[in-house]
Amino acid sequence: MPAAVVALPLLVIILIQGFRLVTHAENLIQPGSENLWVGLGNFRRAFTDPTLLSSIRVTVIYTVAGVALEMIIGVGIALLLNGRIPGKGVLRALILIPMVLTPVVAGLMWRLLLDPTSGFINYLLGAVGLGSDHAFLADPHTALPAVILVEVWQNTPFVVIIVLAGLESLDPAPFEAAQLDGASGWRLIRHVTLPMLAPVLSIVVMLRVIDSVKTFAIINAMTQGGPGTSTLAISNYVYRVGFQTFDIGYSTTLGFLVSLAMLVLLFPTATRLMGLRIRKGRR
């Protein structure tokens, strides 16, 4: 309740101000534009905006590819760390290093590593005979995969931590019963571990999807949405419209549409997961 008392009034103020902005053609470099009523004009402009469609495509690719790789790699690492391996504590600590870096620092660091003239990645590729002049971030065909690589590198540790905590909290009785029935290795993981871990995996996927759709700092630090619009995600496009062209009314409309789309897509999943947790708690 104390949190709601603080948050709800701010939310109401933001919604009222946002409604005013999406229905006006306010531009900070055009005096008097804040009083220019356009009704649904900003929405009609958004639905016919080719750059918005391109940014949606980039965001979908970035989110689907990034989250899929993070889940596959993260679950695999968590399963390995959950077993008996030497130096497990040290490995857990080392895995956390990418996650503690801010996205801006991670983006700038990888931008230097991928530099076509002095980057270590090109030096390493040249040492193994694969060429040393690859302009990864300047090529539209490789810029987005390079940015996704950084996303996976930095956020996979989050998946590892949550999944590892879920693994350590599972009831050992089903595993013992399955082993008595002859299950082991991949069969044990597929038929016992993953089904029992499904609620945790669902929550991790939901959190990673939300965070990936909101991505801004990594892309802005590495490519600023370029070359062209090949890495221009929705958040970067909203920023470009609002703080480079100062078209506040239209940028607010874009942000509203993105938020609404995320709410429609993820709200049913979130409520279902919360419902499952509440029912389990009552039991």
Side-chain angles (χ1 to χ4, degrees):
M1 287 301 295
V5 169
V6 175
L8 287 179
L10 293 175
L11 180 61
V12 171
I13 293 171
I14 291 171
L15 289 175
I16 293 174
Q17 178 67 4
F19 178 76
R20 190 191 70 80
L21 288 172
V22 300
T23 55
H24 289 74
E26 181 170 350
N27 193 307
L28 298 182
I29 59 177
Q30 296 178 5
S33 60
E34 66 274 9
N35 299 318
L36 182 60
W37 169 270
V38 295
L40 298 177
N42 284 323
F43 291 95
R44 287 193 293 268
R45 177 182 170 187
F47 290 127
T48 58
D49 185 351
T51 306
L52 176 60
L53 297 177
S54 174
S55 67
I56 292 174
R57 181 186 65 82
V58 169
T59 305
V60 170
I61 295 173
Y62 181 92
T63 301
V64 172
V67 173
L69 289 172
E70 288 165 15
M71 293 303 299
I72 293 172
I73 299 172
V75 172
I77 294 175
L79 289 171
L80 290 174
L81 292 179
N82 192 49
R84 295 181 179 179
I85 59 174
K88 183 166 63 175
V90 176
L91 291 175
R92 289 185 179 186
L94 291 175
I95 287 173
L96 293 178
I97 292 176
M99 193 176 70
V100 301
L101 296 176
T102 62
V104 173
V105 172
L108 292 175
M109 182 185 73
W110 275 93
R111 182 176 178 178
L112 293 174
L113 289 173
L114 293 169
D115 187 90
T117 57
S118 59
F120 177 75
I121 301 298
N122 270 296
Y123 170 78
L124 189 62
L125 292 175
V128 297
L130 297 177
S132 59
D133 57 348
H134 303 284
F136 294 103
L137 300 180
D139 187 343
H141 297 96
T142 58
L144 185 56
V147 173
I148 293 173
L149 169 67
V150 180
E151 159 74 16
V152 173
W153 173 81
Q154 182 168 41
N155 292 299
T156 297
F158 173 81
V159 178
V160 174
I161 292 172
I162 304 300
V163 174
L164 192 56
L167 286 170
E168 293 178 345
S169 66
L170 294 180
D171 184 3
F175 294 95
E176 295 171 357
Q179 288 173 341
L180 289 175
D181 290 336
S184 62
W186 170 244
R187 292 181 61 191
L188 187 65
I189 293 172
R190 179 183 176 184
H191 296 289
V192 181
T193 305
L194 294 182
M196 293 180 64
L197 205 60
V200 175
L201 296 178
S202 300
I203 291 173
V204 174
V205 169
M206 184 179 67
L207 292 176
R208 289 305 314 136
V209 167
I210 293 173
D211 194 50
S212 296
V213 171
K214 297 189 302 180
T215 188
F216 171 79
I218 289 178
I219 293 177
N220 199 57
M222 293 183 68
T223 63
Q224 294 185 348
T229 59
S230 60
T231 61
L232 186 67
I234 290 177
S235 297
N236 301 89
Y237 184 47
V238 172
Y239 173 83
R240 178 180 293 184
V241 172
F243 296 97
Q244 292 183 356
T245 64
F246 301 105
D247 195 345
I248 299 299
Y250 185 50
S251 67
T252 304
T253 304
L254 296 177
F256 172 79
L257 290 174
V258 173
S259 301
L260 181 62
M262 290 298 298
L263 186 64
V264 170
L265 292 174
L266 294 177
F267 184 74
T269 304
T271 53
R272 183 175 181 273
L273 289 173
M274 293 304 296
L276 288 174
R277 293 179 67 86
I278 290 172
R279 286 196 293 271
K280 288 182 178 179
R282 288 175 178 174
R283 291 175 185 173

